[in-house]
Amino acid sequence: MSLNTQQLDQADFQNSFVEELRGEASRNKNPRQVPGYHYSRIEPTPVRDPHLLAWSDDLGGFLGIARPDERGPAVDALAGNLITDSMKPFAARYGGHQFGHWAGQLGDGRAISLGELKATDGSTWEIQLKGAGPTPYSRRADGRAVLRSSLREFLCSEAMYYLGVPTTRALSLVGTGDTVVRDMFYNGNPQDEPGAVVARVAPTFIRFGNFQMMAVAGEMDNLRALADYVIQHFYPELGAPSPEVYMRWFEEVCRRTAVMIAHWMSVGFVHGVMNTDNMSILGLTIDYGPYGWLEPYDLDWTPNTTDFSSRRYAFGQQPQVALWNLYQLARAIVPLVKEPEALRASLDQYTKTLAETQHTMMLRKLGLTNQASDDHALIESLHEALTESQVDMTTFFRRLSQAAPALISSPENQAALFQEILQAASYSTSPEGEQLLTQWLQRYADRLRQEPADPEAIRESMLSANPKYVLRNYLAQQAIEAAETGDLSVLSRLMEVLKTPFAEQPEHDELAAKRPDWARTKAGCATLSCSS
Ligand code: AMP
Ligand code: MG
């Protein structure tokens, strides 16, 4: 243990959320409405045998927290079995639109925050235990989480961080020693599954839905207090809260959300449940549930079985849905601003920022720097060709990066090169798809030759924009199946490899493989439910 790290149970927690916002005095965990409050002071419910399954070394180091032993007081704290003197655990009250419909009070039904830690750089981070037991917001559910969904959240939030996508983080995955009953596909087959708790980490877990809840309940003082808290702690550069500052703050939330969505679209991430209660007020990817990674390029794809009929949250819908969600946030904060019409301008700004950011990111993925006038059309036709050919998104861009120097310098070998890229990335491409993609490659190669940079430099820069390794759905499932038998080696290997997703790591080539055929329709790989 290095000198500047300590065990979690020795850490000094701060409690700004609890101290600056309104919490009810009752510690009653019965499910109920909690009008008038931002949160409830609720303690986690202990589990039988907390043991550490995984730990994020980098995040721990950043927070100044040492990796704990498999069992002991630090792991007890990470499971909710040990509440230290400086912790003031709470569950937040929020509401949300679920699948387009206002769902009323939701709240932290199984997440309990312990408080905030000061990181080694002086910044402050909330530590939240997901699966820590019932709260007043648990409604009819048990407040617990199963190992499979917890492992998915733990792995993916860290993988997203290393890809450079704005996200909440995860510090630990702890097995509880308890079983949890879940009907995974809501088909009348409830089963015992191993339980787990993830310690999630973010500056705050406040969502659009926290504001909506206060607004819908007509709690104007609470609404303002919440906005002031968020601005003072997380948007201090905007200055002291005022009607003008609320406007600028909303504009900034729109901007950050646009940047987050652009990232998702550029790596093929599908969140799966973009309800307004799953939208972070900091523009971070939050609440990893039935998410998935695009394999065959398909705007209509979602892994979430609950969404199969409407496809509201499919890959290609995400930009529009985020805008719809921002509109709901705007409606909630109207009472705080003087000119509600100006909120509309920020929503327009979202669309503009998103388009610009997506364009810039796509230029980087394609290694294009000296803006040519028809780059927009080139990118547009790439989307068409990808959609038609349904090639593997990650493999396609990675192979394209590798091939860039040859595309530039050996026009005579192009047909073979195109074929090689296509074969590497293709699942079962139609002749039309193949033709469209080949035509696009031709056009792209011509365009690439206008680039002034050295071909090797272009390749390097493309390799740093197109990951080799993403958390493919079937890989997460393999890690889960191994972990459920007590084998954590798949999980730890994935954690290690996904730390440097842009690096070649040839010894791990197989983790960059396209979805194998067995995973095409398999539960957990191709389909996921909200039951977690
Ligand atoms: P999600 O779909 O995971 O974003 O959850 C939506 C709402 O349901 C949130 O208020 C969650 O806290 C709550 N919830 C989900 N699963 C459980 C559970 N097992 N126990 C209690 N509350 C839950
Ligand atoms: Mg949620």
Side-chain angles (χ1 to χ4, degrees):
M1 194 168 83
S2 84
L3 280 178
N4 54 359
T5 60
Q6 56 187 340
Q7 292 287 331
L8 186 77
D9 55 297
Q10 303 295 324
D12 189 26
F13 280 82
Q14 299 171 355
N15 302 280
S16 72
F17 190 102
V18 164
E19 281 157 15
E20 295 173 36
L21 294 170
R22 283 192 75 189
E24 57 167 358
S26 164
R27 305 277 173 112
N28 171 3
K29 293 179 181 176
N30 291 339
R32 62 204 147 80
Q33 298 295 308
V34 187
Y37 295 103
H38 293 114
Y39 67 88
S40 304
R41 278 295 308 281
I42 287 298
E43 298 205 344
T45 304
V47 297
R48 196 173 62 86
D49 176 28
H51 53 283
L52 188 69
L53 299 174
W55 174 259
S56 174
D57 280 312
D58 282 4
L59 181 57
F62 172 64
L63 293 172
I65 302 295
R67 182 192 193 106
D69 294 333
E70 190 182 3
R71 286 180 173 78
V75 174
D76 291 346
L78 290 166
N81 281 30
L82 171 67
I83 305 302
T84 63
D85 289 346
S86 62
M87 296 175 184
K88 292 185 179 168
F90 69 91
R93 172 174 171 249
Y94 57 80
H97 278 88
Q98 298 187 314
F99 295 93
H101 304 283
W102 175 247
Q105 178 184 292
L106 298 166
D108 287 330
R110 54 173 167 171
I112 298 179
S113 290
L114 299 177
E116 301 128 25
L117 288 179
K118 228 184 196 25
T120 45
D121 71 349
S123 56
T124 303
W125 297 77
E126 187 175 319
I127 313 295
Q128 183 178 76
L129 306 183
K130 185 166 171 180
T135 78
Y137 311 98
S138 299
R139 295 176 291 158
R140 277 189 302 267
D142 58 7
R144 295 301 185 189
V146 292
L147 175 61
R148 63 183 152 82
S149 68
S150 306
L151 186 151
R152 281 170 50 84
E153 174 144 23
F154 175 81
L155 250 183
C156 197
S157 32
E158 289 301 278
M160 292 278 269
Y161 169 75
Y162 291 111
L163 281 168
V165 183
T167 180
T168 62
R169 303 283 308 267
L171 180 62
S172 63
L173 174 67
V174 168
T176 61
D178 289 323
T179 53
V180 175
V181 181
R182 287 290 183 272
D183 184 357
M184 187 155 97
F185 283 104
Y186 306 116
N187 60 2
N189 283 314
Q191 301 210 331
D192 272 358
E193 296 192 46
V197 175
V198 175
R200 311 198 286 192
V201 179
T204 180
F205 289 90
I206 296 173
R207 303 128 193 278
F208 291 7
N210 298 69
F211 294 90
Q212 289 183 284
M213 188 71 246
M214 307 300 142
V216 168
E219 298 168 13
M220 289 308 130
D221 290 349
N222 280 345
L223 179 68
R224 178 166 290 108
L226 189 66
D228 292 356
Y229 175 79
V230 166
I231 292 169
Q232 283 158 359
H233 286 268
F234 312 110
Y235 294 85
E237 67 281 5
L238 298 179
S242 69
E244 292 73 43
V245 167
Y246 296 133
M247 288 295 323
R248 293 218 302 278
W249 164 60
F250 180 67
E251 189 182 335
E252 181 59 13
V253 175
C254 288
R255 192 193 65 75
R256 290 195 193 183
T257 304
V259 170
M260 173 187 80
I261 298 288
H263 272 98
W264 291 3
M265 301 310 286
S266 106
V267 292
F269 176 77
V270 184
H271 181 284
V273 207
M274 290 176 70
N275 293 332
T276 56
D277 53 302
N278 291 338
M279 297 289 293
S280 147
I281 200 67
L282 303 183
L284 303 173
T285 314
I286 192 175
D287 275 14
Y288 291 84
Y291 67 82
W293 292 82
L294 211 58
E295 289 175 319
Y297 192 88
D298 180 0
L299 293 174
D300 222 22
W301 185 74
T302 175
N304 184 357
T305 50
T306 314
D307 197 24
F308 271 8
S309 51
S310 67
R311 305 206 168 255
R312 179 182 174 87
Y313 299 140
F315 179 61
Q317 294 299 318
Q318 299 187 123
Q320 278 312 311
V321 171
L323 177 62
W324 192 90
N325 290 344
L326 284 164
Y327 176 76
Q328 302 308 327
L329 175 63
R331 281 184 30 181
I333 65 167
V334 159
L336 300 181
V337 303
K338 283 217 185 83
E339 301 160 62
E341 267 313 301
L343 293 171
R344 222 172 261 288
S346 295
L347 292 171
D348 293 341
Q349 194 56 45
Y350 161 84
T351 306
K352 218 168 149 245
T353 306
L354 176 65
E356 284 167 8
T357 313
Q358 273 194 277
H359 185 67
T360 310
M361 292 178 93
M362 191 51 94
L363 289 177
R364 271 201 69 210
K365 283 173 85 72
L366 296 176
L368 304 178
T369 54
N370 65 335
Q371 309 258 347
S373 55
D374 53 358
D375 283 348
H376 278 100
L378 182 74
I379 290 171
E380 199 49 47
S381 60
L382 172 59
H383 286 301
E384 281 161 30
L386 290 175
T387 301
E388 187 63 34
S389 60
Q390 300 235 326
V391 290
D392 186 273
M393 181 179 181
T394 307
T395 309
F396 174 78
F397 282 103
R398 190 72 184 180
R399 288 292 172 130
L400 198 66
S401 317
Q402 298 287 19
L407 287 175
I408 294 170
S409 18
S410 355
E412 67 288 357
N413 287 337
Q414 265 181 185
L417 263 177
F418 294 171
Q419 205 48 43
E420 195 271 326
I421 295 171
L422 232 147
Q423 255 167 24
S426 171
Y427 286 96
S428 58
T429 301
S430 65
E432 300 79 39
E434 194 169 326
Q435 194 188 3
L436 262 185
L437 199 60
T438 312
Q439 281 166 359
W440 183 83
L441 284 166
Q442 181 66 61
R443 195 168 157 192
Y444 170 68
D446 294 343
R447 169 67 182 84
L448 206 52
R449 278 183 220 108
Q450 298 166 25
E451 280 295 314
D454 163 66
E456 265 315 307
I458 292 180
R459 187 165 80 120
E460 285 311 309
S461 121
M462 288 176 73
L463 288 173
S464 71
N466 295 304
K468 175 170 176 181
Y469 300 99
V470 297
L471 183 56
R472 291 172 180 276
N473 313 309
Y474 76 90
L475 295 174
Q477 184 60 19
Q478 286 177 326
I480 289 165
E481 285 172 14
E484 285 178 345
T485 69
D487 171 8
L488 297 170
S489 64
V490 185
L491 168 61
S492 48
R493 179 176 175 204
L494 272 172
M495 275 180 76
E496 227 17 68
V497 172
L498 292 170
K499 264 188 186 174
T500 50
F502 300 98
E504 209 47 49
Q505 310 182 68
E507 67 281 22
H508 297 297
D509 266 351
E510 66 197 62
L511 300 182
K514 283 185 306 201
R515 180 195 65 198
D517 215 43
W518 59 260
R520 197 164 57 87
T521 53
K522 185 174 152 76
C525 301
T527 57
L528 291 149
S529 77
C530 291
S531 168
S532 59

